[in-house]
Amino acid sequence: MKKGFLMIAIGLMSLVSMDGMSQKKNKVIAHRGAWKNTGATENSIGALEHAIKLGCYGSEFDVHMSADSVLYVLHDHSIQGTNIETTNSAELSKIKLANGEWLPTLEAYLKAGSKQKKTRLILEIKTSKISKERSLALATKCVELVKKMKVEKITDYIAFDWDVCLKVKQLAPKAHVEYLNGDKTPDEIQAAGLDGIDYHFSVLKKHEDYIPAMRQKKLTTNVWTVNSEADLKYFLEKDADYITTNEPELLLSLSK
């Protein structure tokens, strides 16, 4: 009997181990979702859904805060001549994207993402053009909404503003937070208690030692935005943990 129980236990442990490995089955992070080859509008819920269907490890998106503190998903600070930060949500809610979707609120976007568990939500907190205080307020509201929507386990945070990264880590110590701006060394990232770097490919080509240095510290390296086949192959060979790309289909095929 004891031997039988032992065999069952070993089998269960193997299944758990295999499941853990499958959670990171590829390095692909779809930049603003999977939009370029799908007909979806970048940063739309449709682009997120395409990234999920492709099986991407993550789908990246950008978040701004309206004049009345409602959070919206959009890369640029303005859309159709309307500035997000200086416009109330009543006006922003009337804006449609090119694919016919309404300009998505972060709440709607997270709700769509919450319907699955295989693709991580890579939330970029955009730096305010108005003030540092607004950037930090946006960071706080993002963390609060992620918790409210119960998507903490599938959400990572990235930001160009160093103070925003530190703020998120303060508010959500268990969250995975990566810095974007490219001007901090692996030692500085580790000392700050952040979880990784997400640097432009030109920075990581210049500092080829960063990827192994981060791995040695048990921290992660993401690289953006890598689109050419040559560059994708380069960072696959360098074994970057994640590669953010507008060509998720190509990267998935190269990864195989």
Side-chain angles (χ1 to χ4, degrees), residues 93-110:
S93 65
K94 299 174 184 177
I95 294 176
K96 280 191 174 183
L97 304 179
N99 65 347
E101 285 182 37
W102 297 106
L103 175 66
T105 62
L106 178 58
E107 184 169 354
Y109 194 96
L110 295 178

Side-chain angles (χ1 to χ4, degrees), residues 5 8 14 19 24 29 49 77 79 88 143 149 167 175:
F5 279 123
I8 291 170
S14 298
D19 183 60
K24 187 194 167 183
I29 295 178
E49 291 171 344
H77 285 264
I79 178 171
N88 286 331
V143 172
M149 301 296 291
K167 182 69 174 178

Side-chain angles (χ1 to χ4, degrees), residues 26-37 42 47 51 54 56-61 122 198-199 201 222-233 235-236 242-255:
N26 61 62
K27 300 171 180 285
V28 184
I29 295 178
H31 184 232
R32 309 178 196 170
W35 56 273
K36 185 176 178 183
N37 305 306
E42 61 183 42
L54 284 171
C56 298
Y57 173 80
S59 186
E60 183 265 356
F61 58 100
I122 314 298
D198 185 358
Y199 285 174
F201 68 86
N222 188 356
V223 52
W224 62 271
T225 298
V226 189
N227 296 322
S228 75
E229 185 168 340
D231 284 335
L232 289 168
K233 287 180 176 177
F235 285 105
L236 284 171
Y242 312 109
I243 300 173
T244 299
T245 179
N246 290 329
E247 304 284 356
E249 298 89 350
L250 175 59
L251 181 53
L252 283 166
S253 67
L254 292 174
S255 299

Side-chain angles (χ1 to χ4, degrees), residues 6-71:
L6 179 61
M7 294 301 292
I8 291 170
I10 291 172
L12 287 171
M13 288 173 67
S14 298
L15 285 171
V16 170
S17 175
M18 288 173 65
D19 183 60
M21 289 173 64
S22 70
Q23 287 179 7
K24 187 194 167 183
K25 58 186 178 294
N26 61 62
K27 300 171 180 285
V28 184
I29 295 178
H31 184 232
R32 309 178 196 170
W35 56 273
K36 185 176 178 183
N37 305 306
T38 65
T41 301
E42 61 183 42
N43 266 321
S44 65
I45 290 174
L48 167 63
E49 291 171 344
H50 280 297
I52 292 168
K53 287 177 186 175
L54 284 171
C56 298
Y57 173 80
S59 186
E60 183 265 356
F61 58 100
D62 309 276
V63 182
H64 297 269
M65 183 167 66
S66 70
D68 54 344
S69 301
V70 176
L71 308 188

Side-chain angles (χ1 to χ4, degrees), residues 77-131:
H77 285 264
S78 297
I79 178 171
Q80 299 170 19
T82 301
N83 184 280
I84 301 289
E85 287 198 87
T86 58
T87 306
N88 286 331
S89 57
E91 291 302 312
L92 294 171
S93 65
K94 299 174 184 177
I95 294 176
K96 280 191 174 183
L97 304 179
N99 65 347
E101 285 182 37
W102 297 106
L103 175 66
T105 62
L106 178 58
E107 184 169 354
Y109 194 96
L110 295 178
K111 185 176 180 180
S114 71
K115 297 175 183 177
Q116 55 83 51
K117 295 181 180 178
K118 67 180 182 179
T119 297
R120 297 192 67 77
L121 308 176
I122 314 298
L123 192 165
E124 180 178 340
I125 301 168
K126 298 296 285 188
T127 303
S128 169
K129 286 190 173 183
I130 296 174
S131 68

Side-chain angles (χ1 to χ4, degrees), residues 180-186 197-211 221-224 234-235:
L180 285 164
N181 206 41
D183 59 346
K184 301 289 185 183
T185 65
I197 54 175
D198 185 358
Y199 285 174
H200 189 263
F201 68 86
S202 62
V203 176
L204 291 173
K205 281 190 171 184
K206 182 178 179 181
H207 298 281
E208 289 190 331
D209 58 314
Y210 276 13
I211 294 176
T221 302
N222 188 356
V223 52
W224 62 271
Y234 174 89
F235 285 105

